[in-house]
Amino acid sequence: MSTNTRYQKNQKLIVDIESLGVNGEGIAKIEGYPFFIKDALPGEKAEITVTKPGKNYAFAHLDKIITPSKDRVEPLCPSAKICGGCQLQHLDYKAQLEFKAEKVRQNLIRIGGFDEKDLASVEEPIMGMEDPWHYRNKEQYPVGVDKEGKVIAGFYAQRSHRIIPNLKCRLGHKKNSVILQTVLAHMEEYNVPSYDETTGRGLIRHIMTRCGKKTGEWVVMLVINAETEKAIPGLSELSEKLMSIDGVVSFCVSPNTSRGNVINGESFITVAGKNHITDRIGEVEYQISPLSFYQVNPDQTERLYAKALEYADLTGSEVVWDLYCGIGTISLFLAKAAGRVRGVEIIPQAIENAKENARINGLFNTEFFVGKAEEVLPAYVRTHNEKADVIVVDPPRKGCDSVLLDTMIKMVPERIVYVSCDSATLARDLKILHEGGYELARYCACDMFPETAHVECVVLLTKAHK
Ligand code: SAH
């Protein structure tokens, strides 16, 4: 960033906050030049200190709120300001929902090229939560030591790898603190070293917990800097302690000896209990292995999938593709109402889960393929002369590969249902699909991640009949 001549580092200013940026930070402008200020809200007058002046914009620290916003609330979590997990705890929940609906709208207009008026006629109200706390079914806590050398677990501070100790995250389940305390106490008792990123030494890297909210089943997985679980001192005692916690049905270890930022290893070892937990969404039962993707907010997932099913508008005869299918969550949800469902997913263990899940639910009109969606689908189309009626995609944040979008357009399905966790890449992909002959027929945002700046969306595209 080259330095702007108008503003200096450490310069103090008084500004009016005008809007919220995509990451939930307040934005103030002086003569069109924007300042990004974490924790500031629109409508507020505030004292700020410039921390990083740049050519086109600056970052600044919020020193003092002179006039607070009517939407400002006291964060529930004492670590809210320093923890990187939540960005919007200081904003009233209703206003959070408005912010998210507007963020999606703006991305569809600016990146997707859609007309504001057209959007208004296809937008459905954002689906919010009644109780926007303790909604997560999964946590991944980094483990380290504090200045006194005591083992700690918690969350990373924003944009850093400094661990903020926190065993009571307000987004997670209350049982997490019991599990964490058990692991940390064991580490103290047996002198089990935590992993040190800077040296690459030590053992325990992360503690992962996941529960099936409907079944009450829990898995605890330790990510370790060793090839085998035998490296953990007092393993059988730890295993006994964890398995005696109410609900814990699985204790696993994932070896990860790499130096990078990737949290989990590529495989896992089951130390005690089952190699998966079970959960239900609607009528469908799912087995979930610890490395497979599973939506983190099960209450909202049920509403999201119900909306995807509504958009898919199935009568029982359709051929449906579910791309980026994970453990087959959406595939099986749709399979009850479709003729045939084919899922594609890159992670082999997730596809194993998907096949098993199809079997336990008796949904035999499904087929699952391991591989990249952008490779599997074109290859299938080349060798099979078959039409798809509905294509569902649910890609990770980076959105769909362009080869995949082209293939989808060439397959001319009646409907495309796009589930997205990043409305910017969604808008980019919708533009391509729109140019390829699809109309944006309806869309709905869903608040899967209250208190954070993230938002999920589901979109229905229909083939334009000219
Ligand atoms: N539809 C599922 C999973 C969505 S998350 C659900 O709702 O639970 C996105 C999934 O895409 C992850 O499981 C990830 O492993 C998978 N994935 C990422 N890149 C992929 C690619 N190129 N092709 C197929 N799957 C991919």
Side-chain angles (χ1 to χ4, degrees), residues 60-71:
H61 179 261
L62 176 66
D63 298 334
K64 190 178 158 200
I65 302 161
I66 301 167
T67 338
S69 156
K70 63 173 181 20
D71 294 325

Side-chain angles (χ1 to χ4, degrees), residues 322-368:
D322 177 21
L323 306 169
Y324 309 89
C325 71
I327 59 167
T329 22
I330 298 179
S331 322
L332 300 184
F333 216 71
L334 300 177
K336 293 201 165 207
R340 188 140 206 94
V341 179
R342 299 207 172 87
V344 185
E345 158 66 41
I346 202 167
I347 295 188
Q349 288 106 324
I351 286 293
E352 274 168 38
N353 286 160
K355 287 181 178 165
E356 182 61 12
N357 289 333
R359 199 187 61 77
I360 57 179
N361 287 283
L363 293 165
F364 300 113
N365 58 340
T366 52
E367 239 176 302
F368 293 97

Side-chain angles (χ1 to χ4, degrees), residues 48-63:
I48 62 168
T49 300
V50 177
T51 50
K52 246 191 190 177
K55 189 158 174 266
N56 301 314
Y57 56 88
F59 290 102
H61 179 261
L62 176 66
D63 298 334

Side-chain angles (χ1 to χ4, degrees), residues 5 8-9 19 68 79 89 114 168 233 293 317 356 375 423 436:
T5 46
Q8 306 302 321
K9 189 174 161 132
S19 56
S79 307
Q89 277 203 27
F114 293 98
K168 289 185 185 163
F293 174 89
S317 60
E356 182 61 12
E375 290 174 4
S423 55

